[in-house]
Every structure is written in C-alpha cells, then in structure tokens.
Amino acid sequence: MPHSKLLEPIKQFLRCETPLGWIDEATKKENLAVILIDHLICELKAAQSAMFLIRKYAVDKQSSDALLEWLKPFETLIYKREGNWRDLAAKNKLTKAVIPKSDSAYGQDLVDKMVMLIKEELHHFYQVLEIMDEYGVEYQSITPCRYAKGMLRHVKTFEPDALVDKLIVGAYIEARSCERFAALAPHVDKRLGDFYISLLRSEARHYQDYLTLAQEIAGFDITERVKEFGEIEAQLITSLDDDFKFHSGTPVNKSA
C-alpha cells in the first residue's frame, strides 16, 4: 500500500496537520540530536504505556513481573546509562508467561495487541539507537514536552472510562507520530527519510489497535469522546510552544 493511502485515515482522524513551522524547525541540522533523542524516548515510553495497560488490566502478578523483566534492559540503558545498546536486539523477547486474568473479558485482545505493539516499539527503539550511532549523536537526558501530559490530564478517574480514555490518548499519540514521520521524510536525507517511511505502517496499525480496543471495552459509542480528545490534541499541536520536541506545538519565533 502506498504510504499516501496509508495516511488518509490518519489525516481524517487528526483534527489538524503538523504546522509548517514545526517542520522547518525539525529539519534544521542543529535540531537533529533533539529529534533523534526524543524519538528514542518516545519509543520507550510507548512500550512502557502499553505494558502498564497490560499489567493493570489484563494479567496476574507473575505475568506482570515477567513483563517488567522484559523491559528492564531498555530502561536501564536510558535511566541508568548502563549496558551496551547493541545487546538489546537479543533481549526483545517475551515468553508465554503473559496470560490474561480469567475475569477479564477483554484481556486476551488487550494482551495480543499490546504485546505486538511493545515488541515493535522496542525494535524501533533499537533502530533509533543504530541511527544515532551512525550520525554521531550521543544520548543525553532531555525534559519531556507538554504533549502527552496535556492529554492525560483529561483522562477520567473511574473505570472503565479511565481505560477507554487512555486508549484514545494512545491512538492520538500513535496517529500524530505517523503523520509527523511522513511530514519529515521528504525534508531529511535518504537514510533518515527511508527510516521514517518504514515506520508508517506499524504506527498506523497501532493507532487503529488502540481505537478498536477503546470501542470494544467501552460498551458505549466513543465518537464524542474521541472528538473531545481530538480537539485537545489539535490545540497542543497548533498552539505556540517554546520547548521544541518531536510532539511539540508550533515553535515560538525566538528571534522576533
């Protein structure tokens, strides 16, 4: 499928396109490091978020512990700066220890979709590390931008609405990532552009998986709730933002 056709439902889902000002800022050579480092962190956080959902809503303690062990080498590399990133490719494995709770009506579907998502996000995490190595970009700690927190603060506090809202937020994060990779690809060198295009199919599927789960679990029509989060997301993307990151809003013109 051509990536233009892949992007059609994404663009219909999102309520705005990435501002040209953000693309201009993202393609400046001096911002390559922050784009790659933030992308790396986003891949890990996407895996962590999916894992949180499985652990909280679908598995027992034994399976939860197995999941934590799976993610530990990746987290240790980022948060403790320990380990060799080249060893991570062999650690992206999961045993059949992940078994849904017997009282969870949607457990198996949640586990199936989120485990696949985690494996893909951790694979992308490794790929970004490879590219950082090629481009001579060293990892350094950076502050998270307002984007994810800006949406998560609107998540309801009671179940199952809280879970449904988290899944909708996940759908928007994946959809925006997909849209931004496609927007960046024509403006960067071939190596990086090809990599961004290679991510589109999985990112597009991730957004659909989150949205499908949200509707299945809700038991009510989520159309209006999806629209509400769409407006919140669009506001974060189009409003002025002085903290440039992969999911930041319209960059502030600091020379003005």
Side-chain angles (χ1 to χ4, degrees):
M1 182 190 296
H3 71 263
S4 57
K5 195 163 185 66
L6 197 67
L7 286 167
E8 286 176 12
I10 295 280
K11 291 187 174 181
Q12 290 173 8
F13 177 64
L14 297 171
R15 299 183 70 83
C16 71
E17 292 190 20
T18 288
L20 291 176
W22 183 90
I23 297 171
D24 291 341
E25 196 70 17
T27 51
K28 290 178 180 177
K29 287 184 179 178
E30 62 265 32
N31 286 326
L32 177 64
V34 73
I35 282 289
L36 289 176
I37 292 168
D38 200 38
H39 180 183
L40 180 75
I41 294 168
C42 286
E43 297 291 0
L44 179 60
K45 289 194 176 298
Q48 289 174 319
S49 297
M51 191 167 288
F52 170 81
L53 294 177
I54 299 175
R55 293 178 60 235
K56 181 173 175 61
Y57 296 102
V59 300
D60 58 21
K61 186 179 185 306
Q62 181 182 358
S63 299
S64 178
D65 291 344
L67 283 163
L68 288 176
E69 284 300 312
W70 180 26
L71 201 55
K72 188 178 289 184
F74 299 85
E75 294 177 324
T76 299
L77 184 76
I78 293 300
Y79 301 132
K80 295 185 179 180
R81 312 285 184 89
E82 295 175 3
N84 186 332
W85 68 267
R86 290 178 175 84
D87 296 334
L88 294 178
K91 296 183 184 297
N92 190 11
K93 293 179 170 61
L94 186 67
T95 68
K96 296 293 184 181
V98 180
I99 301 175
K101 293 175 182 174
S102 59
D103 60 348
S104 178
Y106 48 81
Q108 190 63 60
D109 199 21
L110 182 66
V111 168
D112 289 346
K113 285 184 169 63
M114 292 298 101
V115 165
M116 178 181 286
L117 184 147
I118 293 166
K119 290 177 79 71
E120 290 179 337
E121 303 290 14
L122 293 181
H123 176 59
H124 298 161
F125 177 88
Y126 184 82
Q127 289 179 300
V128 178
L129 285 170
E130 285 184 313
I131 288 177
M132 286 171 61
D133 185 60
E134 288 176 33
Y135 284 76
V137 174
E138 291 188 16
Y139 176 76
Q140 56 183 301
S141 298
I142 58 174
T143 57
C145 74
R146 65 183 187 177
Y147 180 74
K149 283 186 178 179
M151 285 191 286
L152 288 170
R153 70 166 54 104
H154 297 277
V155 167
K156 291 178 180 176
T157 56
F158 51 89
E159 301 293 358
D161 296 54
L163 172 55
V164 171
D165 282 357
K166 289 170 190 171
L167 291 166
I168 294 171
V169 168
Y172 274 107
I173 293 173
E174 296 290 337
R176 180 59 64 187
S177 298
C178 187
E179 188 259 358
R180 288 215 155 163
F181 289 137
L184 277 177
H187 304 284
V188 295
D189 65 46
K190 188 177 187 306
R191 170 71 173 104
L192 204 50
D194 287 348
F195 174 55
Y196 288 152
I197 293 299
S198 76
L199 299 176
L200 299 186
R201 189 175 301 279
S202 57
E203 299 295 317
R205 189 181 67 256
H206 294 169
Y207 121 80
Q208 289 282 10
D209 284 348
Y210 270 119
L211 211 54
T212 299
L213 280 169
Q215 185 56 75
E216 286 175 357
I217 291 167
F220 57 86
D221 185 359
I222 64 171
T223 304
E224 288 305 312
R225 194 62 178 152
V226 170
K227 285 182 181 177
E228 288 173 20
F229 274 106
E231 291 166 3
I232 294 164
E233 198 270 349
Q235 173 65 20
L236 289 164
I237 289 298
T238 56
S239 58
L240 291 176
D241 193 346
D242 60 5
D243 180 21
F244 178 74
K245 297 285 168 50
F246 186 78
H247 285 103
S248 57
T250 303
V252 173
N253 186 354
K254 294 179 181 178
S255 62

